[in-house]
Amino acid sequence: MPPPLLALSGVSKSFGAVAALRDVRLELYAGEAHALIGENGAGKSTLVKILAGVHAPDEGTVTLDGRPLVLRGPADARDAGIAVIYQEPTLFPDLSVAENIFMGRQPLRGLRRVDRARMRAMAAELFERLGVRLDPDRPARGLSIADQQLVEIAKAISLDARVLVMDEPTAALSGVEVDRLFAVARSVRDAGAAVLFISHRFDEVFALCERITVMRDGQWISTDPAAELTVDQAVRRMVGREVSTLFPKQQTTVGDPRLEVRGLTRHGVFADVGFTVRAGEIVALAGLVGAGRSEVSRAVFGVDRYDAGEVLVDGRRLPNGDTGAAIRAGLALVPEDRRQQGLVMELSVERNATLPRRWSLSWGGLLLGGAERRSAATWTQALRVKAARLADPVSTLSGGNQQKVVLAKWLATSPRVLIVDEPTRGIDIGTKAEVHRLLSQLAADGVAVLMVSSELPEVLGMADRVLVMHEGRLAADIPRDRADEESVMLAATGQAGRA
Amino acid sequence: MTVTQNRPGVQAERGTRLVRRTFAVRELGILLALVVLVAATTIANPRFLSAQNVKDLLLGSTILAILAVGQAVVVITRNVDLSVGSILGLSAFATGSVFLAAPGLPIPVMLVIGTALGAVLGAVNGGLIAAARVPALVVTLGTLYVFRGLDYMWATGRQINAADMPAGFLKMGTATVLGVPVLALFAVVVLVVVGYYTANYRSGRELYALGSDPAAARLSGIPTGRRILYAFVTSGALAGLAGVLYSARFGTVDANAGQGMELNVVAAVVVGGVAIFGGSGSVYGAALGAVLLTTIRAALPVLGINVFWQDAAVGALILAAIGLDRALSARVGRSLRERKAHV
């Protein structure tokens, strides 16, 4: 076997107290597509960012052609011939599509001026190769997630890279677009480049890749030829235990409708979304990135206004765009991005945990320390938050514990309807199970739970019903006994009617 | 298959036309406002368009326009430079002091000295922002006072009078070529050079990328710290140049020169259609904004509007400009989004 084109060995990387990668190895060969699989939080994206020169490894080495490679920044990685398509598109909304593709390496004409005409022609040529019709002069603002991803792909192939890294590039693409992407990836590979492909979809992994590496909890688990690995083996290695034990959803008796959403529309974001969540029920809202799930949950909670439709809690209509009224009616929202939206990072654990109830805990507007501390202590113990002291800033906690503080903060308000957006993103498996146990317990106590989640095992394990969104519309409402990976993915990619 | 192929193309073409129109509207709108203002004022008092008055208007706009061009470069990168008034003050006082010490110094050398002084002060701003990762608003608010303080310490209450300046230098402040003030020609040259650079050079385009999405800019390998440093050096250098021109125009300089000017400059940039959150707008718009603000201040007394209303009028203009900007971008954004959602 020839020596690897690109190799990582003994790579470790920590962020504060959290170890994202521990002693990871990876070998990519020229002319070969290599899959990297693992659960969310397994460290795949951190590894990608090391290859992209965004993060420098704390320990370990990266070699290219057997020579050590030190990347001081993304420009270094680009110059070394490493092209990266990120999970989330990173475009400049104000600039044209062509400029987005060639930023920093625009074709030049005399006096080192940017040659706009040639840049436009080159962009058009790339889109032709990808088989899409995008106007190179159009600004990137307003492009759908799928079109943004296509621009990213065009950018990556324009580099003629020796190593092409694709971090879940297909999450937002339709079937036709995925086929085209794969055709391009294969031609890149056959031209002698090494391809690293990250995906949650096993059919894609097995269709494209010759070799598969599994990661779990920031560690390398295994690397095998694709032909010698089955999906079941791969899943067991990713999860590290039997899937069924992970999601302890209890059977509950479903009660009266708690949350009713009718004809909810926000122009250009989602349209005519209607559903009901009953007491004791966990309803999952599934769909691809950018399908409008978080936007719906934000509109229901009153963070964003909607243009048409209505939201009812226990039969009473909520005013549009009024979070205060939503909280008073018994709604609670655990947002997707806990650092930005769920917590005030500089404040202490106890302040964060009691923030929504500062009025009921206060005495004539005065917050007396005792009440706050006692309440925070009760709830953080109930959720087993691991914090040195409750007075410490919440930013010192690990991701999983931060998420528990967000949950504690809202559970203490005794919500009647709990909306959780990606409740277990980026937290370790142990905490994940605890969060699931907690959601299940809440439902058993009669809370109506609406769970937005991108993790299919979580959706399938936890939900009594699965609502699937596709391009801003509700594409399917699947009961628990009929929900499986296939039915949800088909609806999420807009194929439900055609299948 | 054909459906998925045709859809993005058609949609994109329509979107582009709309956006192009909007970009044109930005700068054309300011020009239109300027024309309407001049026309209305001229109808009220025909002498408003006299050669002398036009010359005064251009002279009055020059310094503000040069500062606005520098400021626009900074604002495009999603930063702001509040220290330009103080840099202008230091440079103006330096001009007077240098001429006191060396009366025979050629004017071009003085222009270089002032510009270089401004560039150094701008490098202090940019260096602090890039190295300490402190927001530009805070850093330049600090240097606004620091630079002005240095100016006071240096001047110690002195004033440099026109009599202390070389006659040729003062003449440059009032001379005209074909009716156009020489100082205004400086502004035009600066505007064309910076405008061409930001539109046609890689590093100029990177300024827009940086303001449009700083995180994406880093991922694209753009040296963000260095670009921000250069933007502040540009703004500082132009403020330094403006300081030299200021002393040529007014002849008399004390430590208060350019005080409070920074807010006028930011106003001109915003009125000129440069988005305060970076990424869009042009230096041409900013310069037009400077001319418009200057013209309003000159026109209000002619129109019989009490001078005390001047500031309120300028303020209203800023709010109108921002309101228009928001309305336009909201409309563009909505129509770009809606087309997608409705297919």
Side-chain angles (χ1 to χ4, degrees):
Chain A
M1 194 167 212
L5 176 61
L6 182 93
L8 272 73
S9 64
V11 167
S12 298
K13 176 77 191 171
S14 301
F15 300 100
V18 184
L21 292 179
R22 278 175 290 172
D23 195 22
V24 169
R25 48 180 286 199
L26 184 71
E27 283 158 3
L28 303 180
Y29 296 92
E32 195 176 270
H34 192 123
L36 181 61
I37 58 174
E39 286 198 299
N40 286 359
K44 294 167 297 177
S45 291
T46 307
L47 194 144
V48 168
K49 286 195 171 149
I50 284 176
L51 289 178
V54 175
H55 297 318
D58 297 336
E59 279 170 55
T61 53
V62 182
T63 57
L64 185 69
D65 290 325
R67 281 189 292 278
L69 181 67
V70 179
L71 303 170
R72 277 179 211 86
D76 280 2
R78 194 176 66 197
D79 296 343
I82 301 174
V84 181
I85 300 172
Y86 294 98
Q87 198 170 0
E88 269 135 42
T90 52
L91 299 182
F92 308 110
D94 300 295
L95 301 184
S96 77
V97 163
E99 242 182 338
N100 264 288
I101 294 175
F102 294 105
M103 180 52 69
R105 45 193 188 89
Q106 295 97 328
L108 299 179
R109 54 197 170 115
L111 300 172
R112 300 190 56 75
R113 288 168 301 167
V114 171
D115 189 341
R116 284 169 187 279
R118 222 170 94 222
M119 183 166 79
R120 193 177 308 131
M122 284 162 71
E125 209 175 297
L126 284 168
F127 287 136
E128 185 126 332
R129 197 171 150 200
L130 281 170
V132 288
R133 281 195 51 195
L134 267 177
D135 179 358
D137 286 331
R138 173 196 205 287
R141 190 184 298 284
L143 283 178
S144 73
I145 296 278
D147 287 344
Q148 290 181 39
Q149 198 60 272
L150 289 169
V151 175
E152 289 285 347
I153 292 165
K155 193 198 297 182
I157 52 176
S158 73
L159 285 162
D160 284 326
R162 304 183 61 204
V163 180
L164 176 62
V165 181
M166 304 191 284
D167 190 357
E168 292 192 49
T170 58
L173 300 186
S174 72
V176 182
E177 290 160 335
V178 170
D179 289 345
R180 287 213 196 89
L181 172 64
F182 278 18
V184 171
R186 284 195 188 97
S187 74
V188 167
R189 177 196 64 189
D190 296 342
V195 175
L196 180 65
F197 180 66
I198 297 174
S199 175
H200 282 304
R201 300 184 189 164
F202 286 108
D203 51 340
E204 294 177 358
V205 165
F206 283 98
L208 183 68
C209 299
E210 283 89 32
R211 206 177 290 275
I212 298 174
T213 291
V214 180
M215 283 182 68
R216 182 173 74 230
D217 296 334
Q219 283 173 305
W220 175 85
I221 300 296
S222 68
T223 300
D224 298 279
E228 294 169 21
L229 194 70
T230 66
V231 173
D232 281 350
Q233 282 172 324
V235 170
R236 262 200 301 282
R237 285 182 195 170
M238 279 166 61
V239 179
R241 65 179 98 170
E242 291 302 316
V243 181
S244 54
T245 61
L246 256 180
F247 308 101
K249 167 71 172 103
Q250 303 170 6
Q251 282 300 317
T252 52
T253 45
V254 171
D256 295 331
R258 272 276 156 83
L259 173 69
E260 287 171 84
V261 175
R262 294 179 191 154
L264 211 63
T265 300
R266 181 170 154 84
H267 291 314
V269 184
F270 52 82
D272 199 23
V273 173
F275 57 85
T276 304
V277 186
R278 295 166 184 275
E281 203 179 25
I282 297 182
V283 173
L285 196 51
L288 302 178
V289 176
R293 299 165 300 164
S294 299
E295 288 77 3
V296 167
S297 65
R298 285 167 60 87
V300 167
F301 191 61
V303 183
D304 299 329
R305 296 184 65 84
Y306 42 86
D307 299 320
E310 53 182 358
V311 176
L312 294 92
V313 175
D314 291 326
R316 274 198 309 278
R317 196 177 163 166
L318 284 186
N320 188 354
D322 185 347
T323 36
I327 294 172
R328 283 192 296 279
L331 240 64
L333 172 74
V334 178
E336 182 178 8
D337 183 347
R338 58 180 168 261
R339 300 182 71 88
Q340 295 282 338
Q341 298 162 3
L343 293 169
V344 186
M345 298 307 284
E346 299 80 21
L347 283 186
S348 67
V349 174
E350 58 189 25
R351 275 280 150 83
N352 267 291
T354 56
L355 205 53
R357 291 172 300 133
R358 58 193 185 281
W359 288 110
S360 59
L361 286 176
S362 70
W363 203 73
L366 270 180
L367 265 175
L368 300 175
E372 220 180 3
R373 208 172 309 130
R374 275 192 302 279
S375 166
T378 312
W379 283 99
T380 48
Q381 267 161 30
L383 296 188
R384 301 180 212 162
V385 175
K386 291 190 197 81
R389 279 171 308 158
L390 291 180
D392 288 344
V394 76
S395 57
T396 60
L397 268 53
S398 73
N401 281 304
Q402 288 178 5
Q403 184 69 332
K404 286 196 220 166
V405 174
V406 184
L407 278 167
K409 148 181 167 178
W410 289 109
L411 296 186
T413 64
S414 318
R416 302 167 67 75
V417 178
L418 178 67
I419 306 173
V420 285
D421 195 349
E422 304 287 2
T424 61
R425 170 176 289 178
I427 64 181
D428 59 274
I429 288 187
T431 314
K432 215 176 238 188
E434 268 182 64
V435 169
H436 290 148
R437 176 186 58 79
L438 201 74
L439 290 177
S440 183
Q441 178 63 45
L442 283 168
D445 293 345
V447 176
V449 179
L450 179 65
M451 177 178 77
V452 178
S453 175
S454 297
E455 291 184 53
L456 266 184
E458 175 171 279
V459 166
L460 300 173
M462 292 292 297
D464 293 302
R465 255 182 324 127
V466 184
L467 304 170
V468 188
M469 283 189 75
H470 171 66
E471 294 204 343
R473 285 171 187 276
L474 223 50
D477 181 346
I478 313 171
R480 184 185 180 83
D481 50 1
R482 284 202 280 119
D484 55 27
E485 292 217 2
E486 203 184 340
S487 58
V488 174
M489 279 319 289
L490 281 178
T493 48
Q495 319 280 320
R498 275 167 264 173
Chain B
M1 183 91 169
T2 40
V3 177
T4 43
Q5 273 195 327
N6 288 335
R7 177 167 38 85
V10 173
Q11 165 199 333
E13 275 153 36
R14 256 190 279 165
T16 311
R17 236 180 293 139
L18 189 74
V19 171
R20 274 204 201 117
R21 223 184 305 149
T22 316
F23 282 144
V25 161
R26 272 194 178 161
E27 277 124 38
L28 273 182
I30 311 159
L31 205 57
L32 194 71
L34 191 59
V35 169
V36 169
L37 178 68
V38 171
T41 318
T42 310
I43 289 167
N45 183 346
R47 265 189 306 173
F48 189 69
L49 260 190
S50 69
Q52 179 59 38
N53 206 36
V54 168
K55 190 187 136 196
D56 285 347
L57 272 180
L58 289 174
L59 261 183
S61 310
T62 296
I63 286 163
L64 190 61
I66 292 177
L67 292 174
V69 167
Q71 187 73 248
V73 171
V74 169
V75 172
I76 282 169
T77 66
R78 202 182 279 194
N79 283 290
V80 70
D81 186 354
L82 294 182
S83 69
V84 288
S86 300
I87 294 180
L88 181 144
L90 260 177
S91 164
F93 198 81
T95 305
S97 305
V98 169
F99 274 134
L100 266 182
L105 195 75
I107 295 171
V109 176
M110 192 60 240
L111 289 169
V112 170
I113 292 174
T115 310
L117 173 66
V120 170
L121 298 177
V124 170
N125 282 331
L128 282 173
I129 291 157
R133 292 177 185 272
V134 181
L137 186 77
V138 181
V139 168
T140 58
L141 186 63
T143 54
L144 182 159
Y145 290 107
V146 172
F147 295 162
R148 184 63 67 186
L150 292 176
D151 203 0
Y152 282 133
M153 273 162 58
W154 189 7
T156 54
R158 280 179 302 151
Q159 176 175 318
I160 295 168
N161 297 310
D164 301 325
M165 305 260 192
F169 183 64
L170 294 175
K171 212 176 143 206
M172 182 183 81
T174 50
T176 59
V177 177
L178 302 171
V180 180
V182 172
L183 293 192
L185 292 177
F186 274 100
V188 171
V189 170
V190 164
L191 174 63
V192 170
V193 168
V194 178
Y196 196 77
Y197 162 76
T198 50
N200 289 294
Y201 281 85
R202 276 185 186 168
S203 46
R205 300 311 297 163
E206 286 177 0
L207 299 177
Y208 281 89
L210 190 51
S212 194
D213 190 331
R218 266 188 294 277
L219 287 180
S220 309
I222 293 173
T224 53
R226 212 184 317 155
R227 290 285 167 269
I228 289 174
L229 175 68
Y230 290 165
F232 277 94
V233 168
T234 305
S235 171
L238 292 181
L241 174 66
V244 181
L245 302 184
Y246 181 98
S247 41
R249 180 173 175 224
F250 295 105
T252 305
V253 188
D254 62 16
N256 287 318
Q259 192 151 40
M261 206 150 183
E262 54 281 339
L263 294 184
N264 273 333
V265 176
V266 174
V269 168
V270 171
V271 167
V274 178
I276 197 77
F277 287 119
S280 68
S282 73
V283 294
Y284 303 111
L288 273 174
V291 176
L292 182 61
L293 284 191
T294 310
T295 310
I296 285 188
R297 288 195 187 275
L300 290 180
V302 178
L303 289 170
I305 297 169
N306 193 319
V307 185
F308 296 115
W309 282 98
Q310 272 194 16
D311 283 342
V314 172
L317 188 70
I318 294 171
L319 293 180
I322 293 172
L324 183 74
D325 201 52
R326 288 292 302 165
L328 280 176
S329 65
R331 229 188 76 192
V332 172
R334 199 164 48 236
S335 54
L336 285 174
R337 268 189 301 148
E338 259 171 20
R339 223 152 270 145
K340 184 70 191 176
H342 287 265
V343 281

